[in-house]
Amino acid sequence: MLKEISRKNAVHIMLVYTGGCNGCDIEVVNAVMSPFYDLEQYKVMLTWNPREADILAVTGPVTRKMEPALKEIYAAIPEPKLVAAIGTCAIIGGPYANLGGDLGSSDQIVGGVNKVIPVDAYIPGCPPRPEDILQAVASVIPILAGKR
Amino acid sequence: MMDWIDFAITTVCIPIVAFVVSTWLPGIMRKIQARIQLRIGPPVLTPGFWAFFKFLYKERIRPVSPMPRLYHSLPVIGIFLMFFIILLTTPAWETVLTLGTLVAIAGLMKVEEMLYLFMGNLSKSILSVRMPYPDQVKGAVMKGKVRRFFEQVAVVRTFKLISIGSFPLYIGLFVPAVMYGSIGIMAVASAQGFDPATFVLRDLFSLDPLIFTVPGAIGAIAYFAGYLVILNEYPFSIMHTKADVVEGPTLEYAAWARAGYYLMREVTIFVMSSVFVTLYFGIPPMIGWALIPHIILVMLLPVGAAIVSAFTPVLTFKQVYPLSLGFSALGVIGLIVAML
Amino acid sequence: MADTDRKDRAEVEVPMGMVHSALLEPFRIRLFVDDEVVVDAEITYDTAHRGIERIMEGMPIQKGLILTERICGICSHIHIWNGTRMVERGLGIDVPQRAHHIRVIGNELERLHSHLLYLGHAFEILGHETFSMRCFMVREPVQNILFVLSGNRVHYTIPVLGGIRPRADISHEKRQTMFSMIDKLETDLREFAARVLNDPFIVSRIKEIGYLSKEDAVKYGALGPNMRASGIDFDWRYKLPEYRDHFDFEVIVRDGGTVLDRVACRVFECLESIKIIRQALETLPDEDPTNVDFELGAMGYSTSYNEAARGEIYDSCALDEVGRIRSYINRTPSMSSLSAMEVSCIGDHLTDASITIASCDPCLTCTNRMTVVDEKKGTNYVMEPEDVLRLARRV
């Protein structure tokens, strides 16, 4: 009872950029930091410490160099935790995994975030609008509250 | 006998009151900052109250630390220290134990500051050295015998802040002592016209608070500057600055230990402000009518801190040293005026 | 004590990144400190490498140009514009003047939003959340103007070979809307700039730190506003016919070379950008913005330079006989600007070093494209330090 209410009322979100093109990053920053969208009024607060976080927002395709870091960061977050993959690159790897000329698609990226860590929410768009990000974050909070 | 019953009631109730009120304070501060930033901001209970309970219900993990149990016990020690400080300022404890002196409070505050040193040294977070990245490879710069975690950088800063930054607070603490010629807290309060046995709300206007005198006003300014340093609020949050050390010594706290850290911070905000009200307004916390004006006045310092911190960046030591010394000098002027 | 002495005495290393609050993008900073003063620094940026030049090899040029936009989400327009410009130069395609004007508007809007993002991020690093928020408040209208102009907030994709996309054409109503939005933006921006540059706390934090001398700026190749803040008067906009012949604007040059100068330089550049946008909207020629009368075919090695928000950008490629990309090269300004910052943060306090590094406006996603081609296997990979080690052993 208190558990669900408290989880609904205070959520910490952590951002990890895994090497995307910045487009999603700035829209996430817009959603989190700009007074226009202001994620904090929905009881979601920004943190940079994995130990404090509940939701891990990942943008960009996971590059090979970022893969171990992302895994470690995910492991550092105590349960219950959710992962939101923001943007097409974070979902399926975007153009880097799916487009290619003579040499095929890029082998510098592992692919979407779900190839590295389990993902709970997918927010498509290139980049998604801040409104979409707000809506998605607001809609995963009940899932977080319902966890063990 | 009545004294002992009063003592027992105070010992139980004042910490509960402190807990209940202090969980509101971060939310109020955040809300004020948010309104200054032209946005709505989180609900008042979210950053303090609900976040505390949320962390209680998170998975208990073992922190990456050479001494995990000691590391986890530090916030608890901090909370008890703070409760001890506020109990020392109550009239009920004064009559029984007679420990409530300014020296005792100053000593306990030092211990509270020292806790951050231990925290920093015991924490090994993922964010700096442990980040899986091939740093020391051929072609990279190869120098430096020690690879330092953020927390240890923060420890160095804590040490500097302990030695210089919190001067204004201690000077502000002792202005009332010089003014009234006693280090006893009840003596200070009663010198301002407070009588715990007979206090009713009507007496509020017959008090003679120190803050409305010249040395009191100067001391209050010094105390406020020291309050910001103790809380690591902007502009003195160099130990917790997001720009390099992220959160400093508290990086590895998770789940219930983080809840403990949150509570420790909240209670620190409350108790340091409560001590201020006791000393400068002459209204100590007690179970009785005095509690109501006390709690209302306690809001003053956090609100002021929120407004100041919304308009200032993090200052580095280049600015912290002169500012801190300036406020200390101001406090010393207050002391001299008080002596005259 | 001489500076070199301290450099040798560094005993403590403080690594930062790749996930860190001061870094919007993944890169690794290793600061070597003496007490808390930075005596040496190493910035490594290969974490955002995605091999975009490599996947463009052999792609049809139109498709490849859209992909250039995905190099970076902050400076997306300049990448596609410069790529398009390069191909137009190589194939000799005529571009209507209206298209040039709209491309310039896109670039200047992008400069505005990039600089404002930079300022917002800089204030966040300084710990001044209120100014950061207000900066984002000023920035949001720019994104809305871009939305009105092109229909997207981040990847606008305005240029196409021979002109601009029809959806980015500026109709009369659109022009009026943009005018009114820009007026509002300018008042907000001027107010904010005056407030920021006169704030005593902010100025005391950023003055006299991160000094980059004119010689060092040349030696390490700082570009764009970083170079101009160190007193070097150079801007590609002076050389490009699109700008030079049609618009009247100033290039902001400051002599200080400190973080304050780099910040102030960008603030004033924003105001110049508004000036250019207004001129472009006023003098927009009335004609068909897209020339479709050209043939794609074999193109020799063609190049193009342009002035992005962060400085000089360079693109080059060749096309084969059916218009497919051959060896696309794109060089962005952040790479050399960052190495200049490696020097300029020496002597700062640790907290100042992170604002110094951020003050060159690093854009890592643009930067990470160095690859090694192994001809035997026919694969590309980033040169990992282990590989360097292996190569070294083999030799």
Side-chain angles (χ1 to χ4, degrees):
Chain A
M1 176 60 185
L2 188 61
K3 183 160 82 174
E4 278 88 47
I5 298 173
S6 65
R7 276 184 193 162
K8 270 183 196 162
N9 274 297
V11 181
H12 284 86
I13 186 168
M14 179 180 178
L15 314 177
V16 175
Y17 310 120
T18 52
C21 77
N22 261 340
C24 303
D25 306 359
I26 56 174
E27 291 298 59
V28 172
V29 165
N30 240 332
V32 178
M33 300 216 304
S34 118
F36 256 80
Y37 298 102
D38 186 28
L39 204 52
E40 271 193 1
Q41 61 181 304
Y42 306 108
K43 302 152 189 168
V44 182
M45 285 159 286
L46 177 67
T47 176
W48 287 100
N49 181 1
R51 294 296 196 191
E52 195 178 14
D54 300 308
I55 299 180
L56 187 69
V58 190
T59 62
V62 185
T63 55
R64 299 242 177 251
K65 269 284 168 65
M66 281 303 288
E67 189 187 0
L70 186 59
K71 276 182 185 159
E72 288 275 325
I73 296 245
Y74 179 74
I77 302 177
E79 290 281 349
K81 55 190 166 189
L82 292 181
V83 179
I86 298 175
T88 314
C89 296
I91 297 173
I92 53 167
Y96 316 107
N98 299 295
L99 280 183
D102 294 349
L103 299 169
S105 59
S106 173
D107 54 2
Q108 305 302 324
I109 62 164
V110 181
V113 177
N114 56 8
K115 294 204 175 154
V116 185
I117 52 176
V119 178
D120 300 274
Y122 297 92
I123 306 165
C126 183
R129 303 253 160 86
E131 294 92 331
D132 298 345
I133 297 168
L134 293 187
Q135 191 204 1
V137 170
S139 62
V140 295
I141 292 175
I143 308 176
L144 189 73
K147 279 207 172 186
R148 175 184 54 82
Chain B
M1 189 56 207
M2 276 307 289
D3 285 351
W4 282 102
I5 294 172
D6 208 15
F7 177 79
I9 292 174
T10 306
T11 312
V12 176
C13 290
I14 289 290
I16 292 173
V17 170
F19 170 75
V20 170
V21 178
S22 65
T23 47
W24 288 70
L25 294 177
I28 292 172
M29 292 168 77
R30 193 73 193 141
K31 195 80 182 176
I32 291 169
Q33 285 172 1
R35 295 312 305 196
I36 290 173
Q37 288 156 3
L38 309 174
R39 62 199 177 96
I40 297 170
V44 172
L45 276 179
T46 293
F49 188 75
W50 293 121
F52 171 75
F53 283 107
K54 180 195 78 175
F55 284 122
L56 276 188
Y57 285 114
K58 289 205 95 169
E59 179 203 24
R60 298 185 172 199
I61 51 138
R62 191 184 167 83
V64 183
S65 163
M67 298 165 90
R69 283 189 190 162
L70 177 62
Y71 184 64
H72 267 178
S73 65
L74 289 172
V76 183
I77 296 173
I79 294 166
F80 277 101
L81 272 175
M82 279 297 150
F83 284 154
F84 197 49
I85 290 179
I86 195 171
L87 285 171
L88 281 181
T89 61
T90 56
W93 272 49
E94 176 70 18
T95 46
V96 176
L97 288 175
T98 333
L99 276 176
T101 63
L102 289 166
V103 177
I105 290 178
L108 290 174
M109 286 308 305
K110 274 290 176 215
V111 179
E112 174 83 12
E113 284 179 84
M114 292 291 287
L115 286 183
Y116 283 103
L117 286 185
F118 295 119
M119 281 179 193
N121 276 323
L122 292 176
S123 164
K124 304 265 183 269
S125 89
I126 168 90
L127 286 175
S128 50
V129 177
R130 274 180 52 230
M131 182 70 76
Y133 187 85
D135 271 332
Q136 293 184 317
V137 289
K138 194 166 185 175
V141 178
M142 288 288 200
K143 61 169 78 165
K145 301 188 182 85
V146 186
R147 307 192 75 209
R148 197 178 266 174
F149 285 83
F150 287 158
E151 293 90 323
Q152 277 114 59
V153 177
V155 165
V156 176
R157 292 177 180 181
T158 317
F159 193 69
K160 290 176 182 169
L161 276 184
I162 287 179
S163 45
I164 297 225
S166 49
F167 256 6
L169 183 91
Y170 295 107
I171 293 173
L173 214 52
F174 280 97
V175 167
V178 175
M179 185 80 178
Y180 298 117
S182 166
I183 57 165
I185 286 167
M186 275 316 112
V188 168
S190 55
Q192 295 175 45
F194 181 83
D195 181 6
T198 61
F199 186 82
V200 283
L201 278 183
R202 196 159 10 94
D203 296 348
L204 204 58
F205 301 101
S206 60
L207 291 180
D208 181 23
L210 174 62
I211 194 167
F212 297 129
T213 63
V214 176
I218 295 174
I221 293 170
Y223 190 97
F224 180 67
Y227 181 73
L228 291 175
V229 175
I230 289 276
L231 292 186
N232 302 307
E233 231 352 299
Y234 293 113
F236 298 108
S237 66
I238 182 86
M239 181 179 124
H240 279 276
T241 167
K242 268 201 272 176
D244 45 10
V245 298
V246 188
E247 260 182 45
T250 58
L251 267 171
E252 272 295 297
Y253 283 125
W256 71 270
R258 183 158 281 276
Y261 164 63
Y262 266 57
L263 188 60
M264 171 177 153
R265 187 181 150 71
E266 289 158 12
V267 172
T268 311
I269 297 175
F270 178 80
V271 169
M272 291 321 292
S273 188
S274 161
V275 170
F276 175 76
V277 173
T278 310
L279 294 178
Y280 282 83
F281 287 93
I283 307 169
M286 60 177 281
I287 302 301
W289 287 111
L291 197 61
I292 297 166
H294 182 85
I295 285 173
I296 293 169
L297 288 171
V298 158
M299 300 293 169
L300 273 181
L301 282 195
V303 169
I307 293 170
V308 168
S309 62
F311 284 111
T312 44
V314 177
L315 299 179
T316 54
F317 285 108
K318 204 164 63 184
Q319 292 102 17
V320 168
Y321 284 158
L323 262 185
S324 166
L325 291 177
F327 279 115
S328 304
L330 196 68
V332 171
I333 292 172
L335 285 177
I336 295 168
V337 175
M339 272 184 241
L340 295 177
Chain C
M1 183 188 323
D3 224 11
T4 46
D5 275 4
R6 300 188 80 170
K7 213 166 174 168
D8 294 334
R9 257 181 339 112
E11 295 203 338
V12 179
E13 174 195 338
V14 181
M16 291 164 79
M18 291 114 38
V19 180
H20 191 277
S21 49
L23 321 174
L24 272 185
E25 291 156 86
F27 62 108
R28 184 80 165 168
I29 306 173
R30 291 167 75 209
L31 296 171
F32 298 91
V33 294
D34 177 12
D35 185 20
E36 281 194 71
V37 177
V38 177
V39 291
D40 202 357
E42 187 194 48
I43 302 173
T44 325
Y45 34 87
D46 57 352
T47 44
H49 178 81
R50 293 152 299 169
I52 198 159
E53 282 169 355
R54 176 186 162 283
I55 60 175
M56 273 159 65
E57 183 73 27
M59 216 179 243
I61 179 66
Q62 295 97 328
K63 203 172 171 181
L65 285 177
I66 291 184
L67 204 54
T68 56
E69 197 167 49
R70 265 67 182 174
I71 291 175
C72 179
I74 300 176
C75 37
S76 50
H77 175 76
I78 191 75
H79 284 292
I80 185 166
W81 181 23
N82 202 34
T84 315
R85 198 171 168 275
M86 167 197 61
V87 179
E88 281 160 359
R89 265 165 60 104
L91 291 174
I93 301 172
D94 284 331
V95 181
Q97 191 53 45
R98 186 180 173 88
H100 279 319
H101 269 60
I102 292 172
R103 290 174 184 186
V104 166
I105 291 172
N107 191 27
E108 294 307 315
L109 282 171
E110 187 174 87
R111 192 183 311 278
L112 271 172
H113 102 75
S114 169
H115 282 356
L116 286 170
L117 180 76
Y118 161 86
L119 290 174
H121 183 210
F123 293 132
E124 186 69 21
I125 294 178
L126 285 173
H128 206 311
E129 215 185 15
T130 307
F131 276 0
S132 172
M133 292 279 181
R134 291 196 180 162
C135 201
F136 278 103
M137 200 78 171
V138 177
R139 181 175 172 270
E140 196 60 32
V142 185
Q143 300 250 291
N144 287 339
I145 298 172
L146 278 166
F147 183 78
V148 168
L149 173 66
S150 71
N152 206 345
R153 286 166 57 94
V154 173
H155 292 305
Y156 351 95
T157 328
I158 296 168
V160 71
L161 283 181
I164 55 156
R165 274 163 217 278
R167 65 174 155 80
D169 195 9
I170 298 180
S171 63
H172 183 66
E173 295 81 33
K174 212 190 230 183
R175 196 169 140 205
Q176 293 306 324
T177 322
M178 285 173 73
F179 262 130
S180 60
M181 285 169 107
I182 283 167
D183 289 343
K184 172 89 173 45
L185 173 72
E186 192 176 6
T187 25
D188 287 355
L189 189 62
R190 279 186 190 279
E191 212 172 279
F192 180 70
R195 177 84 179 77
V196 164
L197 294 177
N198 293 321
D199 188 276
F201 280 109
I202 291 282
V203 172
S204 85
R205 264 306 301 279
I206 59 178
K207 71 173 184 199
E208 292 168 8
I209 62 164
Y211 177 66
L212 183 69
S213 67
K214 198 170 175 174
E215 292 73 37
D216 278 348
V218 174
K219 186 176 165 194
Y220 294 95
L223 292 171
N226 310 313
M227 168 176 77
R228 294 196 282 274
S230 288
I232 302 166
D233 187 2
F234 181 80
D235 194 321
W236 272 102
R237 286 182 290 176
Y238 270 169
K239 307 207 172 214
L240 295 184
E242 285 91 334
Y243 279 98
R244 186 189 55 203
D245 302 344
H246 300 278
F247 304 115
D248 172 34
F249 63 98
E250 283 172 40
V251 168
I252 311 292
V253 181
R254 288 176 71 98
D255 293 329
T258 61
V259 174
L260 175 64
D261 293 286
R262 292 197 274 276
V263 168
C265 191
R266 285 180 170 89
V267 172
F268 295 130
E269 269 187 16
C270 284
L271 298 173
E272 291 301 315
S273 288
I274 291 182
K275 217 157 99 185
I276 296 176
I277 295 168
R278 200 169 271 144
Q279 286 173 33
L281 282 175
E282 274 161 6
T283 62
L284 200 61
D286 196 14
E287 57 181 330
D288 187 15
T290 312
N291 168 25
V292 287
D293 188 23
F294 61 88
E295 288 282 321
L296 274 183
M299 179 182 84
Y301 184 67
S302 173
T303 62
S304 172
Y305 285 93
N306 209 328
E307 183 78 18
R310 293 171 174 74
E312 171 192 296
I313 175 179
Y314 163 79
D315 281 78
S316 79
C317 84
L319 297 183
D320 64 8
E321 55 282 352
V322 287
R324 285 184 305 197
I325 295 172
R326 290 294 165 225
S327 54
Y328 196 99
I329 291 173
N330 167 280
R331 203 197 64 215
T332 52
S334 291
M335 191 181 290
S336 50
S337 290
L338 260 180
S339 32
M341 288 308 120
E342 256 181 28
V343 186
S344 75
C345 71
I346 290 175
D348 288 348
H349 185 269
L350 198 56
T351 312
D352 290 337
S354 59
I355 174 74
T356 302
I357 289 168
S359 78
C360 82
D361 204 359
C363 183
L364 272 297
T365 57
C366 298
T367 309
N368 292 333
R369 282 176 331 284
M370 186 192 97
T371 53
V372 175
V373 183
D374 191 333
E375 286 184 345
K376 280 179 216 147
K377 282 189 240 157
T379 55
N380 295 30
Y381 54 93
V382 193
M383 198 76 165
E384 307 257 348
E386 292 92 312
D387 302 327
V388 180
L389 220 65
R390 207 175 54 232
L391 282 176
R393 283 205 199 99
R394 204 188 289 162
V395 172

